[in-house]
């Protein structure tokens, strides 16, 4: 199987596990192939209104908007090993999922303190990352970042059913405007 096919999906390997009566098959997640697995780089994040007024987005060359800061503030609350959705963030902000996705697409504060790789679509599908959707190098990178934080996907690139109840974060605190 070509490397890109392996990288396209999180491969689930069948391993043999010794049991009291013979061997029993169990699924074990296999680490995705990725170019960028970094989940530790911390960027300086403007926290005061004075710092935010002139904050420039290094990806776009434009000022970061107040709405983008609202999205980034909520995204920064998602803990390591947890995920949320574009819809959960948009509901908290009384906005649209698409607007949240557009803000995260140009997130200049990733991977930390604004871990946008932890945001998935509402069906818990891997979704998009840095403007790419579905499959490709950037999606493989997103999946590897999440894998390194303990989030497991099934063969269809959805969060594994057995872990869904424990990994979803929705307890956002919407800060008052600065």
């Amino acid at each position: 199987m070509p490397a890109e096919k392996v990288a396209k999906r999180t491969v689930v390997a069948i391993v043999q596990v010794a049991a009291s009566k013979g061997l029993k098959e169990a699924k074990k997640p296999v680490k995705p192939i990725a170019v960028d697995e970094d989940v530790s780089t911390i960027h300086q994040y403007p926290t005061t209104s004075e710092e935010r007024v002139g904050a420039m987005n290094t990806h776009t060359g434009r000022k970061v908007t107040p709405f983008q800061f609202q999205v980034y503030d909520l995204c920064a609350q998602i803990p390591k090993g947890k995920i949320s959705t574009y819809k959960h963030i948009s509901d908290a902000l009384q906005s649209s999922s698409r607007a949240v996705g557009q803000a995260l697409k140009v997130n200049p504060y990733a991977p930390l303190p604004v871990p946008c790789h932890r945001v998935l679509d509402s069906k818990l599908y891997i979704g998009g990352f840095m403007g790419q959707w579905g499959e490709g190098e950037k999606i493989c990178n997103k999946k590897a970042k999440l894998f390194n934080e303990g989030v497991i996907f099934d063969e269809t690139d959805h969060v594994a059913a057995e872990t869904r109840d424990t990994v979803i974060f929705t307890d956002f605190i919407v800060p008052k405007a600065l």
Side-chain angles (χ1 to χ4, degrees), residues 2-171:
E4 61 270 5
K5 289 283 186 186
V6 174
K8 186 167 118 174
R9 300 263 183 233
T10 300
V11 180
V12 178
I14 303 299
V15 295
Q16 299 296 321
V17 178
S20 59
K21 295 182 182 180
L23 296 174
K24 178 182 169 184
E25 288 186 352
K27 289 183 179 183
K28 180 181 178 185
V30 176
K31 185 177 181 178
I33 298 170
V35 176
D36 175 16
E37 301 177 27
D38 177 27
V39 289
S40 60
T41 299
I42 300 173
H43 296 274
Q44 186 172 350
Y45 186 67
T47 55
T48 67
S49 57
E50 292 81 20
E51 292 173 328
R52 290 182 175 193
V53 167
M56 296 298 288
N57 186 317
T58 55
H59 297 305
T60 65
R62 298 179 176 169
K63 286 186 178 182
V64 178
T65 68
F67 175 75
Q68 288 171 327
F69 274 120
Q70 288 180 314
V71 171
Y72 301 156
D73 288 342
L74 293 192
C75 187
Q77 296 174 31
I78 305 169
K80 181 179 179 180
K82 302 283 185 180
I83 56 93
S84 195
T85 69
Y86 300 101
K87 178 151 180 40
H88 288 130
I89 294 173
S90 67
D91 286 351
L93 294 175
Q94 299 178 350
S95 181
S96 76
S97 300
R98 196 165 292 236
V100 169
Q102 290 301 309
L104 293 177
K105 175 180 167 182
V106 295
N107 172 17
Y109 307 108
L112 294 175
V114 182
C116 57
H117 63 279
R118 297 178 188 158
V119 182
L120 307 180
D121 86 354
S122 60
K123 294 179 182 170
L124 303 182
Y125 176 68
I126 189 73
F129 192 55
M130 299 176 69
Q132 191 173 66
W133 186 266
E135 57 187 61
E137 182 180 296
K138 293 175 183 176
I139 301 303
C140 290
N141 292 343
K142 178 178 183 175
K143 200 180 311 180
K145 290 171 191 283
L146 289 167
F147 181 90
N148 289 339
E149 294 182 338
V151 179
I152 306 300
F153 291 87
D154 65 19
E155 59 278 354
T156 66
D157 288 342
H158 290 80
V159 173
E162 61 273 12
T163 65
R164 288 181 186 164
D165 292 339
T166 61
V167 298
I168 300 172
F169 178 83
T170 59
D171 299 328

